[in-house]
């Protein structure tokens, strides 16, 4: 039972444009959501997070939006840069604290 | 200085063997984790230790046994390896304990285990 889903396995975006990565979840107990970025042969690195009491969190070029009624969150990267090419994982946690991950979206930024 | 280091990075072994993967963190974190990324790229938690105590044990075969000699180390021992154990195993640590949020996970670079 996959509680966190990323339905797009890959996404290609032109450099300078906006990248939008999507994530859906099914567990209504999730109250904290995170995005991780992963380069090949490296572990995931934390990118940005959002608590369920907010609907938006921004950090530089990265913004995460949360729609609790739709159980949907998205990561916006603007402007997209070549170094953003990586696999992006959505993750969620309930009060128990353990992270439940999605299957990832491979983002390719085209120069 | 690597914050969370795992050894070995690659491990190829035959079915039926016993192997260990070591993990060390120098961040002073209290909680450590093992995650498995399978062929479908799904990252799934296996175990979590807080100050050497097991706090999360997902549905993992008994052949997998974590050991935490101190809070900076969490090793994973696997007995009687099977083909289906082939995956990338990630160690992680966090300052928070479960219930306090999960933003501070720091991952190691992974161990690619191939069982032949």
């Amino acid at each position: 039972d996959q509680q966190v889903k990323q339905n797009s396995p890959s996404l290609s975006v032109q450099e300078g444009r906006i990248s939008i990565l999507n994530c859906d979840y099914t567990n209504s107990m999730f109250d904290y959501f995170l995005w991780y970025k992963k380069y090949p042969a490296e572990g995931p690195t934390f990118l940005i997070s959002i608590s369920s009491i907010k609907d938006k969190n921004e950090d530089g070029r990265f913004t995460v939006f949360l729609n609790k009624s739709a159980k949907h969150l998205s990561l916006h990267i603007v402007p997209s840069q070549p170094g953003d090419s990586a696999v992006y994982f959505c993750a969620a946690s309930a009060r128990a604290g353990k992270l439940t991950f999605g299957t990832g979206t491979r983002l390719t930024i085209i120069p | 200085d690597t914050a969370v280091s795992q050894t070995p990075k690659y491990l190829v072994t035959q079915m039926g063997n016993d192997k260990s993967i070591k993990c060390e963190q120098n961040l002073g974190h209290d909680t450590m984790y093992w995650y498995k990324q399978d062929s479908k790229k799904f990252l799934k938690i296996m175990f979590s230790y807080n100050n050497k105590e097991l706090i999360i044990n997902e549905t993992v075969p008994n052949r997998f046994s974590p050991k935490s000699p101190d809070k900076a180390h969490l090793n994973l021992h696997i007995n009687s390896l099977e083909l289906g154990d082939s995956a990338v195993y990630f160690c992680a640590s966090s300052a928070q304990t479960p219930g306090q949020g999960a933003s501070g996970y720091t991952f190691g670079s992974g161990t690619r285990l191939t069982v032949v």
Side-chain angles (χ1 to χ4, degrees), chain A residues 34 36 41 43 95-96 98-99 101, chain B residues 9 35 42 58 98-99 102 105 108:
Chain A
L34 308 92
Y36 278 78
R95 288 178 57 84
K98 69 175 185 180
L99 286 183
F101 283 84
Chain B
K9 196 170 178 64
Y35 276 80
F42 189 35
E58 294 293 299
Y105 279 44

Side-chain angles (χ1 to χ4, degrees), chain A residues 25 30 33 51-55 66-72:
Chain A
Y25 62 96
F30 287 146
F33 304 89
S51 163
S52 60
I53 63 173
K54 294 185 174 183
D55 54 19
L66 175 63
N67 182 334
K68 288 186 291 293
S69 60
K71 292 192 175 69
H72 177 85

Side-chain angles (χ1 to χ4, degrees), chain B residues 46-83:
Chain B
M46 301 173 68
F47 301 102
S48 175
Y49 269 72
N50 178 257
N51 266 321
K52 304 192 295 177
E53 280 191 41
L54 181 66
I55 50 174
I56 294 176
N57 185 350
E58 294 293 299
T59 308
V60 176
N62 290 338
R63 300 182 294 103
F64 289 79
S65 54
K67 285 189 173 48
S68 183
D70 56 62
K71 75 172 194 178
H73 295 84
L74 181 61
N75 304 323
L76 183 65
H77 189 76
I78 315 170
N79 289 328
S80 303
L81 278 155
E82 300 177 357
L83 292 176

Side-chain angles (χ1 to χ4, degrees), chain A residues 34-96:
Chain A
L34 308 92
W35 284 94
Y36 278 78
K37 177 179 179 179
K38 185 182 180 303
Y39 292 118
E42 293 183 15
T45 55
F46 171 71
L47 194 57
I48 192 169
S49 63
I50 188 167
S51 163
S52 60
I53 63 173
K54 294 185 174 183
D55 54 19
K56 177 183 174 181
N57 188 25
E58 195 171 350
D59 183 2
R61 297 185 298 115
F62 303 91
T63 304
V64 56
F65 296 91
L66 175 63
N67 182 334
K68 288 186 291 293
S69 60
K71 292 192 175 69
H72 177 85
L73 67 155
S74 61
L75 174 68
H76 292 210
I77 307 172
V78 56
S80 300
Q81 299 174 355
D84 297 331
S85 294
V87 177
Y88 289 79
F89 288 96
C90 169
S93 73
R95 288 178 57 84

Side-chain angles (χ1 to χ4, degrees), chain A residues 1-2 4 32 34 36 38 41-46 49 89 93-104 106, chain B residues 9-10 33 35 37 40-45 56 58 90 97-110:
Chain A
D1 176 30
Q2 202 171 323
V4 179
Y32 205 84
L34 308 92
Y36 278 78
K38 185 182 180 303
E42 293 183 15
T45 55
F46 171 71
S49 63
F89 288 96
S93 73
R95 288 178 57 84
K98 69 175 185 180
L99 286 183
T100 300
F101 283 84
T103 50
R106 181 178 301 279
Chain B
K9 196 170 178 64
Y10 300 96
Y33 311 82
Y35 276 80
Q37 186 179 32
K40 295 181 180 177
K41 306 302 181 187
F42 189 35
L43 264 170
K44 189 171 181 182
I45 191 167
I56 294 176
E58 294 293 299
F90 288 98
T97 54
Q100 294 179 346
S103 64
Y105 279 44
T106 302
F107 282 85
S109 57

